Amino acid sequence: MTKSVLAPSPHLRSPKTIETAMYSVIVALVPAAVVGTYFFGLNAVRVMVVSILGCLVVEGFVLRLRGRGLSTLKDGSAILTGLLLAMNLPSSSPVWMVLIGCIVAILVGKQVYGGLGYNPFNPALVARVFLLISFPVAMTTWPEPGVFSLSLDTVTKATPLGAMKTNLLLHGNLGDIAHMSLLDPFMGRMGGSLGEVSAIALLLGGIFLLARGVITWHIPGSFLATVFAMTGLFWLINPQKYASPFLHLVTGGLLLGAIFMATDYVTSPVTTKGMIVFGVGCGAITVFIRLFGGYPEGVSFAILLMNSVTPIIDRYTRPTVFGYSPAKEVNA
Amino acid sequence: MKRQFHGGVHPHYHKETRDLAIRSIPLPGELAVSLSQHIGAPAKAIVSKGDRVLKYQPIAEPSGFVSAGLHAPVSGTVKGVKPMLHPSGRFIPAILIEPDGLDEAEDTSRHADPGLEKGPEAWKEMVRNAGVVGMGGAAFPTHVKLNPPEDKPIDLVVANGVECEPFLTADHRLMLEDPGPIIGGLRLTMEIVGAGRVIVAIEANKLDAAEKIRSMDLPPGCEVVVLPVRYPQGAEKQLIFALTGRQVPSGGLPMDVGVIVQNVGTLAAIHQAVTMGRPLVERVMTLGGTLPKGPGNYLVAVGTPLSHIIETTGGLQGPAARIISGGPMMGLPLSGFESSMTKGTSGLLVFGARDFRELKPRPCVRCGSCVRACPANLLPYTLGNMVEWDHFHDLEEYHIRDCIECGCCTYICPADRNLVQYIRQGKAELLARSRSK
Ligand code: SF4
Ligand code: SF4
C-alpha cells in the first residue's frame, strides 16, 4: 500500500526559509565585521562575541521559561540581533554594557511581544537607543581606528558627524571636516561604532543581500536617496554650514541602518509602496536630526520612529486588487 | 510590448518529459468513467449494467447548462454504475466498462461537418454533444464558453499553450506533434464567437512549439506570442493582462473584456468534435515526478485507472510519498492510484519522501514576499493571519474572493505558512455564513 501524504497544493516550496534569510544577513555583515576587527582590533571581536552569546543565552532562557523548547534558537534571529547590536556599539564598550544591551534587545525588544514576527521595533535598535540614553559617555567614546592591534587601550576620536556638530556649535561653521577626504570613511578609517565605519564593506553586504533576494532595493534605495537629496539641497544653499551629501552618505550609521536595520522584515512595511514611504520617512527624519537635532547622528531614532508607524503605512498602502483598475489597452 | 502581470514566482520548471513523444497506453481491464468530470452538475448515466456499448457512444447526458455529456472510450460491456474514488477524494458514481478488445466504434461521421459548411450554431451543438470541457485543469464545459451573451462581444481568442505548471509537458508535445487540429479549433472558435483576432500564447521554455505553430497556415490576424517563464502565466486573467493589458474585473469573466481563452488541447478537441463528430474520450497527459520508471506523455482513455497507467509504464522506483493529479502548484493531492483519469487530468506526478523538505510552519515574519508574489495584488499574510486568528469579518474587505488560489504566496513564504489553505478555509467559512443567514 502506498502511504501518500494528502497535503494541499502547492506541493512545491521555494527553498528560501527564515533561516536562509537570517544567515544571509549574517554573512552579509561579515565584511563589516572584518573591517571593524582590522581597525579596532581584539576589542571589536570581544564586543561581537559577547553580544552574540549574550543574545543567544537570553533568548534561550526566555524560550525555556515560556516552554517553547529551544528550536527557534536555531533560526538565526538571535544571532543576528546580537551581531547587529555589536555593530552599533563602540568597540570600547565594556562587557557589562554589552550584556545589558543583549537583555534589553531580546527581552524588551522582542520576547515581551511574543517573539520573532510580533515585535514592533527592531530589537538591536531598541537596545542601542536604550544604551545611548543610559550611558551616553560610554556610547559616544569612539576609539581611534588603527591598523590591527592587540591592545585593549583606547585612544578616543570623534566621529566626523560629531566633529561637525561640535564645530558648528562652537564656531558656526563646519571647519576642516567639510573638506575631509571621503576615502577614509569609505574604507573604514573613521571614528564610529565598530560595524558602521566602512562604507565599502556595508555596500558589499548590501549587494549580496539584493542579489540573493533577501532584501529589495525599496527601503535602502529610498532611504539613501532621501538623505542624499535633502542634505544636497542644504549643502547647495550653504556649504559653510552643511556638509556635502556624499559625506552624509558614508558617515555615521547611515549605510548600516539603511541596508541592515531599516530592512528588518518584522518591523518594516510589507507592501512595496509602503517600503518606499518608510524609506523616505527614515531618510527625512535622519536628516532633520543630523542637521537640526541635538544628536550628531539620527539613523537609529529615525528607524525606530518609522517602525512605530509601520502598521499605519501598511494599512494605507494596500495595493489595488487585480480587477479593480479600469481596463487599459497597451497593445491593441 | 508585452506587459508583465504583477507577482508570480519562478519554481524550477522541471520539464524533463518535454522531449518524450506522445505514446498510447494499452487499455485496462476495466474503465471507470466518472459522472463528475467537469465543473458544474454531474452528468446523468443513460446506460445500465449489462448494456453493450460502442466506442464514442453516449453513455451519460448533461444535466443542466453547465454540464457535459460522456461517451464510451471503448467498445465493451457496462459492468454497472457505482460510486468510485474520484481525484477530489470523494466517492462519486462512475460508469464501469469492461472493454471487449474489439474497439468497435460508432459511426461518428454522421455527426460530422468535415467541409465546415453547417456554420457556427451547428458547431456549438456539436461541441456540446461531444462533451468537450476545458483540458487545462479546471474542466469547464466548453460549449458554455462558446456561448457568450449578446451584450458581450468577443474580439480576441487566446489559445493557451502556456503550460506554466512545472513538470507538465502534455500541451507542449501536442503543439509540437499535432498542431493541425489546434489551429483548426482556433478557426472554429473565432467563427463561433465572431472574433477578429487570435493570439497563441506560449511560454519561452517551449520555443520549438512556438516555431512549429508559426510555421503552420494560421488564420488571418493570428499572432504567436512568446511569454517569459513565470507561474501563473497560464491563469486566464493573468494571461489576458499580459497579452492585452486588460484587467478582467473582480468577479468577472474573460468575456467581460472581450476575450475567450481556450487551452490548446481543448481547441484540438473542438476541431475533432466538429470535423469528425468525435467526442472527447481520451487525452494527452504527463506522467512525471521523480518516481515513475516510465515518465512521459501518454494518450490515455478517459476512465483508465491511474494504477493501470503506473503499471503499464514500468511502475515506480520506490514508495510514493506524494501523488498529485495535475501540476505541483495547483494539482490535487491523491491518497493512492485508485481513482481514474478524467477529461481534466493533465498530469499524474509521483514523488518520494526525499523530494520534499520538512515544513516548519511558524508565525509570519512580515517579509512581504507573499505580497510581492500575489498576482491578484492581495495581502496574503493578512488574509492568513485573519483566518488563523478567527477574524472572519474583515476577510471580504481584504478581497479574499479575488484570490485565484494559485499558491504563489505559500510557495514563497519563508515561514512555511500554508497561506492558500488558510484562504480556502476563510472562503469556506464565508460561504457557510452566507448560507446560514
Ligand atoms: S493563492 Fe491567492 S493570495 Fe496566494 S498568491 Fe495566489 S492569488 Fe494571491
Ligand atoms: S511570505 Fe510568509 S512570512 Fe513573509 S509576509 Fe508572507 S506570510 Fe509573512
Side-chain angles (χ1 to χ4, degrees):
Chain A
M1 249 342 265
T2 44
K3 252 184 55 209
S4 175
V5 184
L6 278 176
S9 66
H11 308 284
L12 290 184
R13 305 291 174 127
S14 147
K16 290 183 187 157
T17 60
I18 292 179
E19 286 77 6
T20 58
M22 295 291 169
Y23 289 110
S24 297
V25 182
I26 291 168
V27 169
L29 280 167
V30 166
V34 169
V35 175
T37 308
Y38 178 77
F39 283 120
F40 300 116
L42 274 192
N43 269 327
V45 178
R46 183 199 56 177
V47 171
M48 288 189 280
V49 169
V50 170
S51 182
I52 291 173
L53 288 181
C55 284
L56 278 172
V57 168
V58 181
E59 173 103 348
F61 179 73
V62 178
L63 289 175
R64 223 348 109 68
L65 270 191
R66 295 174 64 197
R68 288 281 173 93
L70 296 183
S71 59
T72 64
L73 262 190
K74 281 183 273 170
D75 66 19
S77 62
I79 299 176
L80 180 57
T81 299
L83 185 55
L84 278 175
L85 175 60
M87 293 282 157
N88 276 289
L89 299 177
S91 57
S92 53
S93 306
V95 170
W96 57 266
M97 196 176 89
V98 179
L99 287 176
I100 292 178
C102 296
I103 294 171
V104 173
I106 299 293
L107 225 54
V108 183
K110 180 175 174 188
Q111 289 293 352
V112 287
Y113 298 102
L116 184 67
Y118 299 111
N119 49 303
F121 299 102
N122 184 324
L125 279 183
V126 171
R128 176 191 154 121
V129 167
F130 176 86
L131 295 178
L132 193 61
I133 293 168
S134 313
F135 313 103
V137 179
M139 282 295 284
T140 50
T141 303
W142 312 104
E144 166 117 63
V147 175
F148 189 85
S149 73
L150 289 175
S151 137
L152 294 178
D153 303 332
T154 51
V155 184
T156 60
K157 174 167 170 121
T159 71
L161 289 175
M164 285 196 284
K165 187 120 270 170
T166 318
N167 282 339
L168 212 50
L169 289 176
L170 294 180
H171 315 297
N173 63 38
L174 295 176
D176 298 346
I177 299 291
H179 310 294
M180 82 179 261
S181 143
L182 289 180
L183 193 66
D184 281 348
F186 199 70
M187 302 308 292
R189 197 190 299 276
M190 64 169 177
S193 301
L194 74 89
E196 71 183 24
V197 292
S198 168
I200 186 153
L202 294 165
L203 284 173
L204 266 178
I207 291 167
F208 173 76
L209 292 180
L210 283 172
R212 295 216 33 176
V214 177
I215 60 171
T216 60
W217 61 267
H218 304 87
I219 291 176
S222 56
F223 193 159
L224 297 176
T226 304
V227 170
F228 186 81
M230 286 179 67
T231 54
L233 192 70
F234 283 103
W235 178 64
L236 285 177
I237 294 171
N238 186 352
Q240 294 305 309
K241 219 174 138 207
Y242 301 107
S244 94
F246 297 102
L247 193 68
H248 275 285
L249 276 194
V250 295
T251 55
L254 184 61
L255 287 171
L256 179 65
I259 297 170
F260 292 97
M261 318 284 285
T263 52
D264 172 33
Y265 287 158
V266 183
T267 57
S268 65
V270 295
T271 65
T272 309
K273 255 190 279 171
M275 289 179 179
I276 294 176
V277 173
F278 182 86
V280 170
C282 287
I285 297 173
T286 301
V287 172
F288 280 123
I289 298 178
R290 279 189 179 185
L291 299 188
F292 310 114
Y295 285 91
E297 162 66 325
V299 171
S300 309
F301 292 103
I303 297 174
L304 280 181
L305 272 170
M306 290 308 290
N307 283 165
S308 70
V309 290
T310 288
I312 300 171
I313 297 178
D314 268 337
R315 178 150 351 127
Y316 290 102
T317 53
R318 277 161 58 181
T320 311
V321 174
F322 187 91
Y324 287 86
S325 327
K328 271 184 260 142
E329 186 87 1
V330 280
N331 62 336
Chain B
M1 237 282 293
K2 267 163 279 162
R3 191 172 261 232
Q4 295 251 313
F5 64 93
H6 172 268
V9 293
H10 291 272
H12 187 311
Y13 54 78
H14 280 292
K15 305 280 192 185
E16 288 89 0
T17 49
R18 52 171 293 154
D19 295 325
L20 301 172
I22 299 168
R23 282 180 292 161
S24 292
I25 290 250
L27 284 176
E30 186 174 85
L31 288 90
V33 183
S34 177
L35 291 175
S36 182
Q37 301 250 350
H38 51 266
I39 289 186
K44 278 201 297 275
I46 51 171
V47 289
S48 42
K49 188 170 175 173
D51 288 358
R52 165 118 210 279
V53 291
L54 298 178
K55 188 174 181 177
Y56 302 134
Q57 178 187 326
I59 52 175
E61 58 188 21
S63 60
F65 184 61
V66 184
S67 185
L70 294 170
H71 304 77
V74 290
S75 63
T77 314
V78 175
K79 299 308 261 183
V81 181
K82 66 173 196 213
M84 298 290 286
L85 189 65
H86 186 265
S88 67
R90 290 172 297 158
F91 279 83
I92 289 173
I95 300 169
L96 304 179
I97 301 173
E98 187 182 278
D100 55 15
L102 304 173
D103 219 18
E104 258 185 285
E106 194 183 69
D107 177 18
T108 57
S109 61
R110 62 199 162 89
H111 305 297
D113 181 13
L116 300 182
E117 287 142 11
K118 298 190 186 167
E121 283 311 309
W123 298 338
K124 266 193 255 181
E125 197 51 31
M126 292 171 169
V127 170
R128 183 172 133 87
N129 288 339
V132 180
V133 301
M135 289 160 80
F140 190 80
T142 301
H143 63 271
V144 184
K145 262 198 191 177
L146 293 179
N147 236 332
E150 293 283 320
D151 60 332
K152 304 237 154 97
I154 303 294
D155 67 334
L156 173 67
V157 175
V158 175
N160 187 351
V162 168
E163 202 164 41
C164 61
E165 278 264 14
F167 291 97
L168 302 188
T169 53
D171 288 349
H172 183 182
R173 290 312 303 181
L174 195 64
M175 290 189 280
L176 212 52
E177 294 181 36
D178 196 13
I182 298 174
I183 309 296
L186 206 48
R187 287 179 197 274
L188 287 164
T189 306
M190 277 178 86
E191 281 207 44
I192 291 174
V193 299
R197 274 178 75 204
V198 202
I199 296 178
V200 183
I202 299 174
E203 269 193 341
N205 55 9
K206 298 177 261 292
L207 290 177
D208 50 351
E211 275 320 302
K212 183 79 191 181
I213 303 258
R214 281 204 181 108
S215 72
M216 303 287 294
D217 173 23
L218 296 171
C222 179
E223 232 185 304
V224 178
V225 175
V226 175
L227 294 162
V229 179
R230 187 149 62 127
Y231 176 87
Q233 190 89 252
E236 282 190 348
K237 294 182 179 185
Q238 276 60 41
L239 182 58
I240 294 170
F241 184 75
L243 294 171
T244 69
R246 300 178 203 175
Q247 279 196 19
V248 177
S250 169
L253 294 169
M255 64 168 81
D256 293 321
V257 291
V259 185
I260 275 194
V261 182
Q262 299 280 17
N263 163 272
V264 288
T266 315
L267 289 169
I270 291 173
H271 185 253
Q272 269 155 8
V274 172
T275 58
M276 300 193 274
R278 190 172 284 179
L280 178 55
V281 296
E282 59 189 10
R283 68 160 295 154
V284 182
M285 54 84 78
T286 302
L287 175 64
T290 52
L291 290 192
K293 284 189 184 156
N297 298 291
Y298 294 100
L299 184 65
V300 186
V302 166
T304 302
L306 301 183
S307 53
H308 177 78
I309 300 176
I310 298 290
E311 281 156 24
T312 51
T313 56
L316 300 176
Q317 310 193 10
R322 206 70 87 87
I323 308 167
I324 298 156
S325 164
M329 294 299 287
M330 288 184 86
L332 290 170
L334 303 180
S335 56
F337 302 105
E338 294 83 15
S339 54
S340 299
M341 280 286 296
T342 68
K343 296 173 187 174
T345 310
S346 51
L348 175 61
L349 307 179
V350 192
F351 296 95
R354 271 187 298 157
D355 296 318
F356 300 90
R357 67 173 168 82
E358 188 201 342
L359 298 180
K360 290 181 274 180
R362 285 164 285 181
C364 166
V365 291
R366 298 177 32 86
C367 66
S369 302
C370 57
V371 178
R372 285 191 294 278
C374 178
N377 279 0
L378 303 174
L379 299 180
Y381 79 103
T382 312
L383 293 170
N385 286 346
M386 283 174 173
V387 174
E388 190 180 7
W389 302 334
D390 288 341
H391 291 180
F392 293 108
H393 43 276
D394 288 333
L395 285 175
E396 289 199 65
E397 196 206 317
Y398 279 79
H399 298 288
I400 191 169
R401 285 179 212 280
D402 289 295
C403 168
I404 58 170
E405 301 189 19
C406 64
C408 291
C409 50
T410 305
Y411 170 81
I412 208 79
C413 177
D416 287 348
R417 296 177 67 66
N418 203 339
L419 298 166
V420 216
Q421 200 49 21
Y422 282 128
I423 291 171
R424 289 187 190 118
Q425 233 176 299
K427 283 184 178 174
E429 176 72 24
L430 289 186
L431 194 69
R433 289 189 181 195
S434 67
R435 282 206 182 125
S436 67
K437 261 183 211 150

